[in-house]
Amino acid sequence: MSKRLQRRNSDQRHTLRIERNNTERPIELVQITDSHLGGQPGEELLGMDTDQSLAHVIDLIEAERPSAELLLATGDISNGGSPASYLRFQQLTGHLAPHILWLPGNHDALPAMQQTFAGDPALGRNIEVGNWQIIMLNSATPGEVGGNFSAGELEFLQHCLETTEAEHVLLCMHHHPIPIGCDWLDGQQVRNADAFFALVDQFSSVRGILWGHIHQELDQQRNSVSLMATPSSCIQFAANSPDFKLARLNPGYRWLSLHADGAIDTGISRVTGVEFDIDYEHSSGY
Ligand SMILES: [Fe+2]
């Protein structure tokens, strides 16, 4: 292994500490996911202008969550992985919270993300805030649509869980680790979810697992862990559909309040009063 790679690997393990002004309040997070921004402003996904829909979601967050402390972007930030799309996302969303964290999805290009954030902690993966640890996982494999954790990624997760001094843990990733009832999407579920959960189950500190990719809301409990997925900031996929199908639901985001006792309050919010131009009859995927 080269010296450079060794350093990068050890940097990833390094815990970033986010200092808070008011430690009495719960930690306020917002999650934006699957923005699918194009290389140029105004590019469309199934007829939808993904910059325009993101702008509406940003307006909503500004109105509803002015005291967000941390913005999580959980993958498919870009539709094609162009540096210009990451720069635009950064410029459009950077003011929503004092701290931002990104992780890659299957449409993203990690090298372009790293280029956008040279020297910036936005791609930090092991973050301590209050008595919580937020671990940003990479479930994407270049060239593949579906999710999987590499052996190195599971080893990274184990290291973070074993060494954290925080009492409570939130895991963030792009792909879904459980089947969600859409056959076409369930083929893209994290392939080695069994190994992932076998690891997670050893640590009672894990309180929540949060992801994107499925472009729909999901709130479930597994043992005492909250499982959460979030509407995209652009097109929405229909729940419980065996085949690819769009839902007539507006874009949205998720808010989370992480309490010092380990409780998570959370919910989603969708844009209202706007009718988006979308090719709803499109039936062959995206
Ligand atoms: Fe995705």
Side-chain angles (χ1 to χ4, degrees), residues 34 76 106 174 213 286:
D34 296 84
D76 288 1
N106 47 296
H174 181 67
H213 188 65
Y286 70 113

Side-chain angles (χ1 to χ4, degrees), residues 177-178 197 208-209 211 218-222 225-229:
I178 57 162
F197 280 120
I209 305 175
W211 63 84
L218 177 145
D219 282 279
Q220 290 184 16
Q221 292 282 316
R222 181 183 178 277
V225 179
S226 300
L227 305 181
M228 299 162 281

Side-chain angles (χ1 to χ4, degrees), residues 137 139 147-150 153-155 157-158 161 169-173 175-180 186 189-211 218 220-229:
L137 296 170
S139 62
N148 187 57
F149 288 122
S150 68
E153 196 66 13
L154 290 176
E155 197 263 336
L157 173 59
Q158 182 167 4
L161 291 171
V169 176
L170 174 68
L171 304 180
C172 304
M173 51 212 254
H175 293 86
H176 45 310
I178 57 162
I180 58 147
D186 285 341
Q189 172 196 331
V190 172
R191 204 162 53 225
N192 54 351
D194 286 353
F196 168 73
F197 280 120
L199 179 56
V200 166
D201 288 347
Q202 294 171 37
F203 295 89
S204 58
S205 53
V206 178
R207 306 275 175 248
I209 305 175
L210 176 68
W211 63 84
L218 177 145
Q220 290 184 16
Q221 292 282 316
R222 181 183 178 277
N223 304 329
S224 56
V225 179
S226 300
L227 305 181
M228 299 162 281

